[in-house]
Amino acid sequence: MTTVANIITKARIKANDSGKTRIKEDTDLVKLLDDHVLSIHDTLVNMRSNLLLKSGTISISSGTETYSPPTGHYITLEDGVYIDEGSPLTKVTQNQNMAEDYSTGGQPTMYYLDDSGDFGFLPVPDGSYTVNVLFFPSYTALAATTDTIPYTFFDRYFELALVVDMLEIMERDNRRYAIFAQQAYDQAMTKVVERGCVRLKFKGMYVN
């Protein structure tokens, strides 16, 4: 796996700063690189890329309505919450729980997300169930040169984008590397699309 240090070393060579004479601290480059990785993460989430899709479970029990989300949960996949192999639970608003009485209990057929990001299940569970959740994860910021770079399709883009940033800091012409970075980005996105994206449901129809 590619590390932050791998990307920085290659970028320094291309920017002619292997000796760290212009940009002395790698920590500054980690921050610049993190901006690019975060941007790609947000793009892949918005695309609902299969590369990011994860699964987790929530163990629910009788009489308890709300539960913490799976570790790393960020955005829930539509139709991605279900019990065992049953039909997906319907997403509702938290206000619906206030408008109707679901306290009598039963196997949940609906869920909502409250203001704190916790899951609520309706009717209130009448027993123990395992809820499966398909979701897109939150972003984990890069903090050290030993961190692993996610999304390996984008390794070359991250390297070249960092070179562009470095040359700008050095007040040198970065237009050539900006072109290379865009080409690397386009090539990586082609691979992402080939891996597929989750179809979204809109008014009863699925759209890509």
Side-chain angles (χ1 to χ4, degrees):
M1 298 292 288
T2 304
T3 65
V4 171
N6 296 146
I7 297 292
I8 289 176
T9 297
K10 292 179 180 179
R12 281 193 180 278
I13 292 172
K14 287 182 170 61
N16 196 25
D17 193 37
S18 296
K20 301 184 180 181
T21 56
R22 299 297 301 275
I23 303 175
K24 299 184 181 301
E25 300 297 332
D26 282 349
T27 52
D28 295 332
L29 299 181
V30 173
K31 294 175 183 177
L32 292 172
L33 182 58
D34 183 65
D35 288 341
H36 292 295
V37 179
L38 172 58
S39 177
I40 292 299
H41 173 270
D42 289 346
T43 297
L44 295 180
V45 169
N46 290 335
M47 292 175 62
R48 299 299 191 264
S49 169
N50 288 332
L51 292 177
L52 265 64
L53 189 62
K54 293 185 178 296
S55 63
T57 59
I58 302 174
S59 296
I60 62 177
S61 56
S62 179
T64 303
E65 182 176 331
T66 59
Y67 300 83
S68 298
T71 301
H73 174 271
Y74 177 45
I75 293 178
T76 307
L77 176 66
E78 185 165 353
D79 290 343
V81 180
Y82 56 96
I83 294 175
D84 298 324
E85 298 299 325
S87 299
L89 275 60
T90 301
K91 184 177 182 180
V92 297
T93 65
Q94 188 173 2
N95 292 335
Q96 185 160 341
N97 184 32
M98 302 175 184
E100 301 184 45
D101 183 12
Y102 293 102
S103 61
T104 54
Q107 177 172 323
T109 58
M110 295 170 284
Y111 77 96
Y112 64 85
L113 293 171
D114 66 17
D115 293 337
S116 65
D118 287 344
F119 279 77
F121 296 98
L122 303 172
V124 176
D126 61 354
S128 297
Y129 301 93
T130 298
V131 179
N132 300 281
V133 181
L134 298 177
F135 65 93
F136 296 94
S138 56
Y139 178 68
T140 301
L142 301 176
T145 56
T146 54
D147 288 347
T148 300
I149 297 290
Y151 325 130
T152 54
F153 289 161
F154 290 88
D155 280 1
R156 181 163 173 76
Y157 165 71
F158 292 143
E159 174 191 330
L160 294 170
L162 186 57
V163 173
V164 172
D165 291 341
M166 294 172 68
L167 292 176
E168 182 173 354
I169 292 171
M170 298 174 189
E171 298 182 339
R172 290 166 50 193
D173 187 356
N174 61 8
R175 288 174 293 180
R176 178 167 169 262
Y177 277 103
I179 293 172
F180 293 160
Q182 184 62 55
Q183 291 172 342
Y185 176 88
D186 293 341
Q187 291 169 358
M189 288 302 298
T190 297
K191 293 180 181 179
V192 169
V193 172
E194 288 174 350
R195 290 294 183 93
C197 299
V198 178
R199 296 192 303 167
L200 300 180
K201 193 174 183 180
F202 178 71
K203 293 184 178 180
M205 299 176 63
Y206 282 94
V207 296
N208 289 326

